[in-house]
């Protein structure tokens, strides 16, 4: 029997929390738990819910993110990549090189990343899990946004919305194919 | 018979377009049309669709916006205010004073505006029309975002999602009540 489609709204800032146990279990399922020495409580927070949704990926994770500097979310993505999930990342050229960006690290790990070549921003902040679940909102994947800003994230398992965003992702993925880069004109 | 609930996804950048006819008709319904001398085509674009959704407000418009500098959207909001729609605006303290911000102009027009008092950003970008329709996404209400950025906006007429955002709006509206301002401590 098909489970009820996910419909969730997450608001940030997230309460401070430790997600080490969550990441450790995802990286090595069944391994003996090693308690984290940090003083933060674990528990159910906006961040831990977001991470759980991402970790539910089995086949693909498509990310379209203006800023990606949160180390915990970068570890989440790397765990999925190591598990064999096909991860693709689209990001903004101006922001990917800033201090703290996790984009270089993801590329080093072998994850495909493409970026724009425009003066306008690639300002989306969405993720698509297994071409089935859309995660979208105002949240850039930065520690500042997660811990300090008022932000929203919708989690929607709805074929119509997912298709609209998946199509947008594929359009951008193709448009930002390095084979299409031009160093003379700005395509719009 | 109840119309089918609105479910729409808008992607930006929006094609350049003139929305003068749309605004003129909203400001003075039935007045003789005066053709706009600008060279832009009118027509169906992401911006014109967003404006139409906003102009559908009859009773209330609640705005929670990090940046609001787009003059066309400020005019849309003022038309609603003049029509007697109850408009409330929540925005970010750091951004409301920047060059081009429309917040001062809205206040001059008599629209209620409240802002945060935190170091973190009030980074939401959502609108709720008549406590019935949620408009949310990555789009700040700036001309740059509308004309140049890759952005998304979801339009959702769904009681569950609307309630979550309406509750968040009321929480923020109360928290940012100037009567509660403190000049000595940063509440979190």
């Amino acid at each position: 029997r098909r489970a009820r489609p996910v419909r969730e709204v997450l608001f940030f800032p997230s309460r401070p929390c430790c997600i080490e146990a969550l990441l450790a279990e995802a990286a090595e399922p069944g391994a003996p738990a090693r308690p984290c020495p940090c003083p933060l409580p674990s528990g159910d927070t906006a961040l831990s819910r977001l991470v759980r949704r991402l970790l539910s990926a089995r086949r693909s994770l498509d990310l379209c993110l203006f800023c990606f500097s949160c180390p915990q979310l970068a570890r989440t993505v790397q765990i999925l990549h190591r598990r064999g999930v096909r991860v693709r990342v689209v990001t903004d050229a101006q922001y990917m090189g800033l201090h703290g960006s996790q984009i270089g690290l993801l590329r080093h790990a072998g994850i495909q990343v493409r970026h724009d070549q425009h003066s306008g921003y690639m300002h989306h902040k969405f993720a698509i899990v297994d071409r089935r679940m859309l995660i979208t909102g105002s949240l850039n994947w930065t520690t500042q946004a997660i811990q300090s800003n008022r932000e929203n994230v919708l989690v929607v398992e709805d074929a119509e919305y997912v298709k609209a965003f998946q199509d947008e992702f594929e359009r951008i993925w193709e448009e930002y194919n390095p084979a299409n880069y031009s160093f003379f004109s700005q395509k719009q």
Side-chain angles (χ1 to χ4, degrees), chain A residues 20-31 83:
Chain A
E20 288 306 314
L22 200 55
L23 294 181
E25 171 62 22
E28 287 185 82
R83 262 197 207 159

CSV table of all heavy atoms in Angstrom, one decimal, chain A residues 20-31 83:
chain,number,residue,atom,x,y,z
A,20,GLU,N,24.9,14.3,14.3
A,20,GLU,CA,26.0,13.3,14.0
A,20,GLU,C,25.5,11.8,14.0
A,20,GLU,O,25.9,11.0,13.1
A,20,GLU,CB,27.1,13.4,15.1
A,20,GLU,CG,28.0,14.6,15.0
A,20,GLU,CD,28.6,14.7,13.6
A,20,GLU,OE1,29.1,13.7,13.1
A,20,GLU,OE2,28.5,15.8,13.0
A,21,ALA,N,24.6,11.5,14.9
A,21,ALA,CA,24.0,10.2,15.0
A,21,ALA,C,23.3,9.8,13.7
A,21,ALA,O,23.4,8.7,13.1
A,21,ALA,CB,23.1,10.0,16.2
A,22,LEU,N,22.6,10.8,13.2
A,22,LEU,CA,21.8,10.7,11.9
A,22,LEU,C,22.7,10.4,10.8
A,22,LEU,O,22.5,9.5,10.0
A,22,LEU,CB,21.0,12.0,11.7
A,22,LEU,CG,19.8,12.0,10.8
A,22,LEU,CD1,18.8,11.0,11.2
A,22,LEU,CD2,19.2,13.5,10.9
A,23,LEU,N,23.8,11.2,10.7
A,23,LEU,CA,24.8,11.0,9.6
A,23,LEU,C,25.5,9.7,9.7
A,23,LEU,O,25.8,9.0,8.7
A,23,LEU,CB,25.7,12.2,9.5
A,23,LEU,CG,25.1,13.6,9.2
A,23,LEU,CD1,26.1,14.7,9.1
A,23,LEU,CD2,24.3,13.5,7.8
A,24,ALA,N,25.9,9.4,10.9
A,24,ALA,CA,26.7,8.1,11.1
A,24,ALA,C,25.9,6.9,10.7
A,24,ALA,O,26.4,6.0,10.1
A,24,ALA,CB,27.2,8.0,12.6
A,25,GLU,N,24.6,6.9,11.1
A,25,GLU,CA,23.8,5.8,10.8
A,25,GLU,C,23.6,5.7,9.3
A,25,GLU,O,23.5,4.6,8.7
A,25,GLU,CB,22.4,5.9,11.5
A,25,GLU,CG,21.3,4.9,11.1
A,25,GLU,CD,21.6,3.5,11.4
A,25,GLU,OE1,22.5,3.2,12.2
A,25,GLU,OE2,21.1,2.6,10.7
A,26,ALA,N,23.5,6.9,8.6
A,26,ALA,CA,23.3,6.9,7.1
A,26,ALA,C,24.6,6.4,6.4
A,26,ALA,O,24.6,5.7,5.4
A,26,ALA,CB,22.9,8.3,6.7
A,27,ALA,N,25.8,6.8,7.0
A,27,ALA,CA,27.0,6.5,6.4
A,27,ALA,C,27.4,5.0,6.6
A,27,ALA,O,27.9,4.3,5.7
A,27,ALA,CB,28.2,7.3,6.9
A,28,GLU,N,27.1,4.5,7.7
A,28,GLU,CA,27.4,3.0,8.0
A,28,GLU,C,26.2,2.4,8.7
A,28,GLU,O,26.2,2.3,10.0
A,28,GLU,CB,28.6,2.9,9.0
A,28,GLU,CG,29.9,3.2,8.3
A,28,GLU,CD,31.0,2.9,9.3
A,28,GLU,OE1,31.4,1.8,9.5
A,28,GLU,OE2,31.5,3.9,10.0
A,29,PRO,N,25.2,2.0,8.0
A,29,PRO,CA,24.0,1.5,8.7
A,29,PRO,C,24.3,0.3,9.5
A,29,PRO,O,25.1,-0.6,9.1
A,29,PRO,CB,23.1,1.1,7.5
A,29,PRO,CG,23.6,1.9,6.3
A,29,PRO,CD,25.0,2.1,6.5
A,30,GLY,N,23.8,0.3,10.7
A,30,GLY,CA,24.0,-0.8,11.6
A,30,GLY,C,25.3,-0.8,12.4
A,30,GLY,O,25.5,-1.6,13.3
A,31,ALA,N,26.2,0.1,12.1
A,31,ALA,CA,27.5,0.2,12.9
A,31,ALA,C,27.1,0.6,14.3
A,31,ALA,O,26.2,1.3,14.6
A,31,ALA,CB,28.4,1.3,12.2
A,83,ARG,N,26.8,6.2,-1.5
A,83,ARG,CA,25.9,5.1,-1.5
A,83,ARG,C,25.5,4.8,-3.0
A,83,ARG,O,24.7,3.8,-3.2
A,83,ARG,CB,24.6,5.6,-0.9
A,83,ARG,CG,24.3,5.2,0.5
A,83,ARG,CD,22.8,5.5,0.7
A,83,ARG,NE,22.5,5.8,2.1
A,83,ARG,CZ,21.4,6.4,2.4
A,83,ARG,NH1,20.5,6.8,1.5
A,83,ARG,NH2,21.1,6.6,3.6
